[in-house]
Amino acid sequence: MLGYGREITKSRLFGYGSVTQGSQFTLAISTLIEEMSTKHAKKIQTIQAEQAVQKKALLEEAES
């Protein structure tokens, strides 16, 4: 903690509760990021499957 002296720490400057709340906030953000990543991956798989079906239909249509 520059500018506050050698003995100052985050918990002394902001109080123990704020450090705990920061940790909880970080955990909540990490959880949200994981959930969004999972949803994104599933959505990509769905789109790729739909594209494969459309491609097959177009190839069959072109052959006939």
Side-chain angles (χ1 to χ4, degrees):
M1 308 293 312
L2 296 175
Y4 289 101
R6 298 178 70 194
E7 301 298 320
I8 197 70
T9 63
K10 285 184 182 180
S11 60
R12 284 187 183 171
L13 184 61
F14 301 112
Y16 178 76
S18 65
V19 174
T20 303
Q21 288 174 350
S23 298
Q24 290 173 349
F25 181 73
T26 302
L27 179 61
I29 293 294
S30 295
T31 303
L32 285 173
I33 290 171
E34 284 182 39
E35 289 173 0
M36 290 175 69
S37 294
T38 302
K39 287 180 183 180
H40 182 70
K42 287 179 183 179
K43 194 155 215 142
I44 288 174
Q45 288 176 344
T46 302
I47 291 169
Q48 287 174 337
E50 289 172 356
Q51 286 177 338
V53 169
Q54 289 175 351
K55 182 178 179 180
K56 184 179 177 183
L58 286 173
L59 288 173
E60 289 175 354
E61 185 179 313
E63 290 176 354
S64 58

